Amino acid sequence: MCGIVGFTGNRPCPNILVDSLKKLEYRGYDSAGIAFFDKGHIRTVKTKGKISEGLVPLLKSQNLLSDTENAPVCGIGHTRWATHGEPSDINSHPIGNGRVCAVHNGIIENYREIKEFLINSGYTFESQTDTETVVKLLDFHYKGDPLEAITKTISEIEGAYALGILFKDFPDTIFAVKKESPLIIGKGDGENFIASDVTAIMEYTKDYYIAEHNEIAVVTPQNIKFIDIYGRDIQKELKTVDWDVSAAQKGGYAHFMLKEIFDQPAALKNAMNPSIKNGIPDFSEIGLTFEKMSNYKNLFIIGCGSAMHSGVVGKYLIESLARVSVTVDIASEWRYRDPLITNEDLCIVISQSGETADTLAALKLAKERGADTLAVVNVVGSTIARTADMVLYSNAGPEISVCSTKGYAVQVCAMYMLAFFIALVRGQITKEYCEKLTSELTSIPAQIGEILKSLEDFQFAASNIMNAESLLYIGRGLDYALSMEGSLKLKEISYIHSESYAAGELKHGTISLITADTPVIAVATQSYLLEKTVSNIKEVKARGAKVIIIAQSGVDIDESAYDVRIDVPAKDDIMMPLLTNIPLQLIAYYTAVLRGNDVDMPRNLAKSVTVE
Ligand code: F6R
């Protein structure tokens, strides 16, 4: 998981590398470093900790962030999420030995064998990283021709990698190669870049190439050349990112998470626009025709974390509207249990980043079994997007905060559109009813805008739970699906333990956890289940729990059942999730802020989980 960057041009590179790395910190922030050519040598500056706390002060102390006349102009950088070896200065990247230096995103599976071979060949090792074995193997094979060294090295290493490499003898050139891990090459004017993803370099250029497996990129200020492992030139299509640069900046908000919560009305409109034609969902442009959809026997929805939670909402919607049974599962479980999927089925994988290793593996498995695959993905051109048979882009724009907010909302929106479409295809709803549902969906962004006008209720609710050690989220039906996501948001950024529980299941064991110190957040927006949910809420209230209830505005609920009530605009039960989601996100956000946590970069996490 980790992010890599590189720059070669005629401008001082340390600032550019640091700025680009900051955009990739969502991929990991245990340590960071850069390496660059300095008076004929490769110089490395790296340290443990987040970029602004570790690397930037270190570079400043060495006067490397001021644009002096002889400032370095070619270098590589890395931000790390530790896999092999603890977060420490020595395990930070770049890793080099004077002749060769590299940054690496991925995992080298056979590093032990290679290390043993290299030790027997006289090499010594300083770090605990798998990357050091690659650097030393490159050095072993380097006899003056970098391409030969890289080709030999990649034929011997197994696993996943995106590598940015400097060779001492080529002071204006970055070599880059990838397998599995993402890598793009940015094309500027007299300067070029490498990066793990396009957000890192968007400020400098919007033109980029996507590197494919085992293509070697040779990047100089004037030229970008791609070569295959046989030394043949490869012609690549130049792509242009159409995201606005400001979309990847905080724009006056205290945190990316808050900005991304406020981005949701616009993001949802962008998610809907391309797929709604003549008032109803239409996926023919991405290849999901009426006829195709009517032929699938079973539906599977697979993802991880919040993406999987959006799949749970999808299951409830599709089953209730289209009357088709849906299997929804966590990718890391599904892929290893020999799933019952065949060539008659459709597998929908959901991923914001489009790079999640388990989701990608699940997708590949579904394809191997002959199923059709549809990826609901945010990041354009990502590996999952390129692997699936059909892609429904969720169009949220860049999501920087590690904690997914708008990324989740647009996934849920995709679930709605698919559910309406499948219900129509299966003849379970009329075209008129489909139009009505679609119109309801398109009215939601404006209602979210209304909720976001006043934040006091969420701040007050957060102040009620900020000192709790543990809490529960409960709900029934779609409210249960939402409580899973609310609970994940809270624990992810506030570090308060929380669990989501189906309200009716509490009394089968979990209710024993309830004390006066265990607040309960009760999601109670489903009118047809309200009576039952309120009974469950009273059960926890009777055992001393402080209850925060989220309900449809105007709905009468016995005041003795709760301590704090948060209203969301009233709508048909089935349309509530995207509205209910907003208080859940904001309660988590303000709780983390009140506890003084690093909201955008919570401990131990990384946004793009490219390891199993
Ligand atoms: C939670 C969160 C994670 C991701 C999960 C899947 O806030 O962000 O649970 O949802 O890691 O990531 P993607 O959607 O990129 O596959």
Side-chain angles (χ1 to χ4, degrees):
M1 281 182 342
C2 308
I4 68 167
V5 297
F7 171 83
T8 178
N10 289 311
R11 293 195 279 160
C13 70
N15 270 315
I16 295 173
L17 294 172
V18 166
D19 282 350
S20 305
L21 282 177
K22 281 184 180 163
K23 313 269 170 33
L24 292 184
E25 244 183 331
Y26 72 84
R27 304 179 68 89
Y29 33 82
D30 291 334
S31 64
I34 63 173
F36 46 84
F37 288 98
D38 185 19
K39 301 188 193 86
H41 298 282
I42 300 176
R43 180 167 161 194
T44 302
V45 183
K46 57 184 186 173
T47 182
K48 193 179 155 181
K50 291 176 182 154
I51 294 169
S52 55
E53 291 159 15
L55 183 62
V56 167
L58 189 59
L59 288 167
K60 276 190 184 152
S61 72
Q62 299 181 22
N63 207 20
L64 282 163
L65 291 181
S66 40
D67 295 350
T68 51
E69 213 179 295
N70 294 320
V73 292
C74 176
I76 52 179
H78 188 267
T79 182
R80 178 166 188 248
W81 189 82
T83 53
H84 292 75
E86 56 167 7
S88 67
D89 292 356
I90 201 82
N91 288 334
S92 308
H93 299 209
I95 292 182
N97 71 346
R99 287 213 311 164
V100 185
C101 182
V103 286
H104 169 217
N105 167 33
I107 288 184
I108 305 303
E109 284 160 6
N110 61 340
Y111 82 100
R112 281 200 188 84
E113 294 99 281
I114 295 174
K115 193 168 176 177
E116 204 180 305
F117 164 78
L118 288 165
I119 288 172
N120 290 336
S121 308
Y123 283 89
T124 52
F125 284 78
E126 287 165 4
S127 75
Q128 288 100 49
T129 63
D130 49 343
T131 305
E132 192 175 355
T133 58
V134 182
V135 173
K136 298 218 158 134
L137 191 60
L138 281 162
D139 184 74
F140 176 81
H141 288 305
Y142 181 53
K143 311 277 182 271
D145 179 355
L147 291 176
E148 185 193 0
I150 293 171
T151 312
K152 285 189 172 159
T153 299
I154 61 177
S155 71
E156 289 167 20
I157 57 177
E158 286 163 18
Y161 48 84
L163 290 161
I165 310 161
L166 302 179
F167 287 87
K168 181 174 175 283
D169 307 330
F170 295 80
D172 68 347
T173 309
I174 301 169
F175 296 85
V177 64
K178 71 147 261 173
K179 185 176 163 219
E180 307 290 353
S181 304
L183 175 68
I184 59 116
I185 315 296
K187 184 177 172 350
D189 187 7
E191 57 188 31
N192 291 313
F193 305 79
I194 70 162
S196 295
D197 81 29
V198 77
T199 48
I201 57 159
M202 253 163 53
E203 197 178 326
Y204 306 107
T205 178
K206 291 193 165 188
D207 296 330
Y208 68 102
Y209 298 98
I210 298 174
E212 301 290 349
H213 293 347
N214 288 343
E215 290 177 349
I216 304 165
V218 183
V219 186
T220 62
Q222 301 300 338
N223 199 19
I224 298 171
K225 196 169 164 184
F226 285 92
I227 296 163
D228 71 12
I229 49 169
Y230 306 106
R232 296 176 300 213
D233 284 359
I234 305 168
Q235 296 310 315
K236 306 277 294 180
E237 184 196 344
L238 187 64
K239 303 201 177 271
T240 303
V241 62
D242 56 6
W243 284 349
D244 182 358
V245 176
S246 64
Q249 292 166 350
K250 267 192 228 165
Y253 288 92
H255 298 99
F256 277 111
M257 181 177 175
L258 189 61
K259 176 195 175 265
E260 287 159 6
I261 290 173
F262 274 79
D263 278 350
Q264 286 175 115
L268 286 166
K269 283 186 200 159
N270 290 338
M272 287 179 225
N273 280 344
S275 303
I276 296 181
K277 312 252 160 62
N278 302 319
I280 56 172
D282 177 341
F283 299 103
S284 48
E285 252 175 43
I286 62 162
L288 186 61
T289 58
F290 222 77
E291 195 196 346
K292 223 179 196 181
M293 192 68 234
S294 58
N295 288 331
Y296 295 125
K297 201 163 165 197
N298 299 301
L299 299 182
F300 292 80
I301 305 182
I302 311 296
C304 300
S306 297
M308 191 280 288
H309 292 161
S310 74
V312 178
V313 176
K315 174 183 167 74
Y316 279 71
L317 295 174
I318 296 169
E319 290 188 347
S320 80
L321 288 169
R323 310 304 300 151
V324 190
S325 140
V326 178
T327 302
V328 57
D329 211 337
I330 300 166
S332 57
E333 285 296 311
W334 189 76
R335 62 179 287 204
Y336 287 117
R337 61 181 171 75
D338 196 5
L340 296 168
I341 188 165
T342 73
N343 58 4
E344 295 180 295
D345 303 334
L346 173 67
C347 181
I348 302 171
V349 294
I350 307 178
S351 175
Q352 188 286 130
S353 62
E355 301 294 346
T356 303
D358 283 314
T359 311
L360 177 62
L363 167 64
K364 288 182 178 165
L365 177 65
K367 285 185 82 167
E368 267 164 42
R369 300 278 167 98
D372 269 4
T373 53
L374 167 67
V376 177
V377 173
N378 192 39
V379 176
V380 176
S382 53
T383 312
I384 290 177
R386 285 180 286 124
T387 308
D389 301 315
M390 298 168 276
V391 189
L392 177 58
Y393 280 118
S394 53
N395 293 337
E399 188 176 62
I400 308 295
S401 184
V402 164
C403 181
S404 184
T405 51
K406 65 175 177 176
Y408 168 78
V410 291
Q411 290 163 351
V412 170
C413 180
M415 293 298 104
Y416 272 99
M417 294 191 292
L418 284 166
F420 300 166
F421 176 64
I422 299 168
L424 188 64
V425 169
R426 303 262 168 164
Q428 293 293 329
I429 58 171
T430 61
K431 185 158 175 283
E432 289 66 38
Y433 189 51
C434 190
E435 280 165 0
K436 180 181 174 296
L437 288 168
T438 310
S439 147
E440 286 284 314
L441 185 65
T442 54
S443 70
I444 282 179
Q447 285 178 302
I448 292 179
E450 286 304 310
I451 304 177
L452 292 172
K453 277 186 182 156
S454 156
L455 304 173
E456 291 81 15
D457 285 357
F458 316 120
Q459 289 160 346
F460 179 65
S463 70
N464 274 271
I465 59 171
M466 65 173 285
N467 293 318
E469 277 183 14
S470 180
L471 63 111
L472 288 181
Y473 282 72
I474 60 169
R476 284 170 176 259
L478 279 168
D479 286 335
Y480 173 46
L482 264 283
S483 76
M484 289 178 177
E485 177 61 5
S487 170
L488 176 62
K489 290 297 83 130
L490 185 87
K491 67 184 133 196
E492 185 176 357
I493 56 172
S494 75
Y495 315 144
I496 299 175
H497 169 257
S498 90
E499 278 186 54
S500 59
Y501 237 78
E505 184 67 9
L506 268 185
K507 55 184 156 302
H508 299 288
T510 309
I511 200 162
S512 68
L513 291 175
I514 298 290
T515 66
D517 297 326
T518 319
V520 171
I521 299 193
V523 188
T525 70
Q526 298 297 294
S527 317
Y528 78 107
L529 294 166
L530 191 60
E531 213 179 294
K532 306 267 175 223
T533 309
V534 170
S535 302
N536 300 136
I537 298 171
K538 285 186 173 167
E539 286 157 14
V540 296
K541 193 86 187 75
R543 281 148 186 94
K546 183 179 261 186
V547 174
I548 297 170
I549 193 168
I550 301 174
Q552 292 203 32
S553 116
V555 170
D556 185 30
I557 300 174
D558 180 355
E559 281 183 21
S560 67
Y562 57 83
D563 299 277
V564 178
R565 174 170 172 159
I566 291 180
D567 279 339
V568 277
K571 253 187 142 41
D572 286 349
D573 287 355
I574 203 164
M575 303 307 300
M576 288 307 298
L578 282 166
L579 299 174
T580 315
N581 186 36
I582 306 296
L584 293 172
Q585 291 175 342
L586 285 164
I587 291 171
Y589 171 74
Y590 284 115
T591 308
V593 171
L594 287 172
R595 287 168 68 98
N597 294 354
D598 187 340
V599 173
D600 287 329
M601 285 188 255
R603 68 186 180 206
N604 304 340
L605 288 169
K607 189 156 186 73
S608 190
V609 187
T610 53
V611 293
E612 273 191 48

